[in-house]
Amino acid sequence: MSLVSEGADYRRSFSAGTGLAEPSLATVGDYFTLMKPRVMSLVVFTALVGLAVAPGSLHPVTAFTALLCIAIGAGAAGALNMWYDADVDAVMTRTSRRPVPMGRVQPGEALAFGLTLAGFSIATLGLLVNWLAAGLLAFTIFFYVAVYTVWLKRSTPQNIVIGGAAGAFPPMIGWAATTGSLTLEPVLLFLIIFFWTPPHFWALALYKTDDYARAGIPMLPVVSGDTSTRRQILVYTLILVPLGIAPWALGYTGAIYGTTAVISGIIMLILGWQVLREQRPAERASRNLFAFSVLYLFLLFTVLLVDRGWGGLIVRLAT
Amino acid sequence: MSEPHDDDGIVLTEAQKRARRSRSIAIALALAALVILFYAMTLVKGPGVLIRPI
C-alpha cells in the first residue's frame, strides 16, 4: 500500500469515529496553531519587503489589507497541509503534537477551516487590492497544498526543491499588490528564496533523517544518503550566493546590500563546505548551516528594505 | 418497561461548552474585523468605488 493511500485510510478511520456525535474540544489556540504561525511570520516579512520596495505607492490601509490577506492565505495553506499530513505528522517527533494528530481538531474541521480561510483571503485581496495579487495568492495556496503536500512530498526526494516555490511567491504577491504587475526584480526575490530552500531544509533533514524515514517521507538523505545530500547542499548554495548578490550587481540596490550579500554569502559557502566535509555522527555543521540560513534570508531581505529607504514605508505611514 | 430515549440529545460537558463559546467569540470578532476592513477600504478608495459599469 502506498503512503498516500495509507494517509487516506487514516483520514477515513479518523473521521468515521469523530462525526457530529463527538462535539469538538478545539480551542481558538488550536486553530491558530493550524495556521503555522512561524511560517506565516516569514511569509508576511518577505511579502512586506516585496510590497515596500516595489515602485509606486500604496495607501497604508491597503498595504495592511494586502499583508493580512497574504498572512491568512499562508495560514490556510498551513491548515490544509496539517489536514492532509495528519498521518505522517503523528509519527514524527517534530510534528506529533500538532492539533490534528493530537485529536484536538478533527480532520474535517481542519479542512473546512483551511478552505474557508483560503476563499476569504483570495476574495478579499482581489476585491480590495487587485486581482493579480489575488491570483498569485490562489496559485501559491494551490501549489503548496496540491503540488507539494499531496503530490511531491511523499513521492520524490526533490519535494522541497519544487515545493519550495510556494514559499518563494510571497514577495512577488507583495510586489503585485503595490504595482499590479511583475518585473525582473520580484522574480529575483523569488529565485533567492527558491534556491535558499533546499540547503535550508536538507541541513535540517541531515540531522532529522530518522524522523523522516520513520514517517516514510522520501527526503533526500533518506533516499540518496548523506554524501549525496551534502554535495547537493553545496551545489544549491553555490547557485544561491550569486543570486543573493544579483540585486546589487544589477543595480537595484546600493553598497550596503551588496556588502551584506557578499559577506553573508561567503559565510553560507563556508558552512556549506563544512557540511560537505562533516562525517556522521557529527552534526554540528548541519545545525550551523540550518541556523545561519534563517539569519541569511532575514539579513538579505531586511537590508534590502533598509537599502531602498524602507521602500517609502515610513513616508507612507507618516502621511 | 419504558424504552430508553435520547430526548435530551447530546449534552455538552463544561469543557466542550467553554471551547464552543471561545470559538463563537473568535468567529464574531473575525466577522466584525472583516466589516471594519471593508468599511475602511471603502473610505480609502473614495467615492470612485461606487462608480462601476453595469
Side-chain angles (χ1 to χ4, degrees):
Chain A
M1 184 186 282
S2 74
L3 276 169
V4 176
S5 62
E6 278 173 13
D9 289 346
Y10 169 87
R11 268 183 294 286
R12 272 195 295 277
S13 64
F14 205 120
S15 57
T18 53
L20 289 174
E22 189 77 29
S24 179
L25 268 170
T27 63
V28 176
D30 289 328
Y31 279 98
F32 186 66
T33 307
L34 279 183
M35 295 170 74
K36 297 192 175 180
R38 283 173 63 188
V39 175
M40 209 160 70
S41 61
L42 191 65
V43 166
V44 169
F45 174 65
T46 55
L48 167 72
V49 175
L51 182 143
V53 301
S57 64
L58 201 62
H59 191 282
V61 177
T62 313
F64 169 78
T65 304
L67 289 175
L68 183 69
C69 290
I70 295 168
I72 301 294
L80 293 170
N81 170 274
M82 285 203 204
W83 158 71
Y84 192 83
D85 272 351
D87 55 338
V88 293
D89 283 351
V91 293
M92 290 176 67
T93 51
R94 188 172 65 86
T95 54
S96 61
R97 297 193 64 77
R98 285 177 173 175
V100 182
M102 286 289 284
R104 291 197 305 273
V105 174
Q106 309 307 331
E109 290 177 311
L111 174 64
F113 182 61
L115 291 176
T116 305
L117 291 189
F120 268 91
S121 60
I122 294 163
T124 307
L125 189 61
L127 288 168
L128 301 183
V129 183
N130 67 58
W131 285 103
L132 175 64
L136 283 170
L137 181 64
F139 182 72
T140 304
I141 296 170
F142 165 79
F143 198 90
Y144 185 70
V145 178
V147 178
Y148 170 68
T149 304
V150 175
W151 178 29
L152 298 171
K153 185 173 177 179
R154 301 170 190 232
S155 60
T156 168
Q158 297 301 312
N159 48 16
I160 52 119
V161 178
I162 307 164
F169 277 118
M172 288 178 77
I173 305 172
W175 185 286
T178 300
T179 64
S181 63
L182 292 173
T183 58
L184 176 64
E185 200 175 350
V187 176
L188 261 180
L189 299 181
F190 168 89
L191 288 174
I192 290 171
I193 303 177
F194 184 78
F195 282 97
W196 166 87
T197 307
H200 171 75
F201 275 106
W202 284 336
L204 171 75
L206 274 175
Y207 61 90
K208 293 280 185 186
T209 307
D210 295 344
D211 226 12
Y212 284 111
R214 194 165 50 247
I217 303 293
M219 290 296 279
L220 195 62
V222 177
V223 176
S224 305
D226 263 25
T227 310
S228 171
T229 306
R230 291 170 196 277
R231 202 178 302 126
Q232 293 214 41
I233 283 176
L234 188 61
V235 169
Y236 275 91
T237 309
L238 281 166
I239 301 170
L240 168 67
V241 172
L243 278 170
I245 299 167
W248 169 69
L250 293 172
Y252 294 132
T253 62
I256 301 172
Y257 177 87
T259 310
T260 308
V262 169
I263 293 171
S264 58
I266 289 169
I267 297 172
M268 277 293 286
L269 284 172
I270 292 169
L271 291 173
W273 178 254
Q274 286 176 349
V275 168
L276 181 69
R277 302 295 303 271
E278 184 181 55
Q279 298 297 319
R280 291 193 86 173
E283 294 172 343
R284 185 180 292 271
S286 305
R287 288 178 187 273
N288 287 346
L289 178 64
F290 178 75
F292 185 76
S293 63
V294 178
L295 180 66
Y296 174 76
L297 193 69
F298 182 74
L299 256 180
L300 285 192
F301 276 75
T302 304
V303 176
L304 180 66
L305 193 61
V306 174
D307 200 60
R308 295 281 289 261
W310 298 94
L313 206 65
I314 292 172
V315 179
R316 282 180 218 169
L317 288 173
T319 53
Chain B
M1 190 175 151
S2 63
E3 288 289 318
H5 57 86
D6 56 353
D7 287 350
D8 294 339
I10 297 164
V11 180
L12 298 184
T13 64
E14 281 307 310
Q16 287 166 338
K17 282 180 184 171
R18 273 198 306 275
R20 185 178 63 177
R21 182 175 164 76
S22 70
R23 291 196 303 270
S24 300
I25 291 170
I27 292 168
L29 290 175
L31 287 175
L34 198 64
V35 170
I36 293 167
L37 187 70
F38 270 78
Y39 178 71
M41 281 300 296
T42 306
L43 293 182
V44 167
K45 285 178 179 282
V49 76
L50 298 173
I51 303 168
R52 296 282 173 95
I54 297 171

